[in-house]
Amino acid sequence: PMSDYVEQTNCGKVVETVHSQSLLAALDQLEADYEACRAAALRAGPDFSQQQMMQAYRQLYTSLSPT
């Protein structure tokens, strides 16, 4: 899941429960660690490029097609 990716790359904060206190805590953490989080998000960016998406679909379709 995306939360695993976010934790592994440290490009954001994962909120376990969606309520105001946990969201505010996550926002406070993001604000405090903004530069580190921003740098991690920029490093992770290529994982979400159009080329990566097309490659993933190609692999999926190839694995599903009969040989």
Side-chain angles (χ1 to χ4, degrees):
M2 181 59 103
S3 59
D4 291 345
Y5 181 86
V6 170
E7 286 180 338
Q8 290 170 359
T9 60
N10 200 30
C11 65
K13 299 296 178 192
V14 175
V15 178
E16 298 296 330
T17 57
V18 181
H19 58 78
S20 59
Q21 289 177 337
S22 61
L23 293 173
L24 286 172
L27 288 172
D28 286 342
Q29 290 173 351
L30 286 172
E31 185 177 28
D33 299 332
Y34 179 77
E35 285 306 319
C37 188
R38 179 181 179 278
L42 289 173
R43 285 191 303 275
D47 290 345
F48 297 96
S49 69
Q50 183 177 15
Q51 182 179 1
Q52 282 294 104
M53 181 187 71
M54 296 303 293
Q55 182 179 354
Y57 276 117
R58 191 173 297 115
Q59 290 173 344
L60 173 65
Y61 293 149
T62 300
S63 74
L64 296 174
S65 65
T67 53

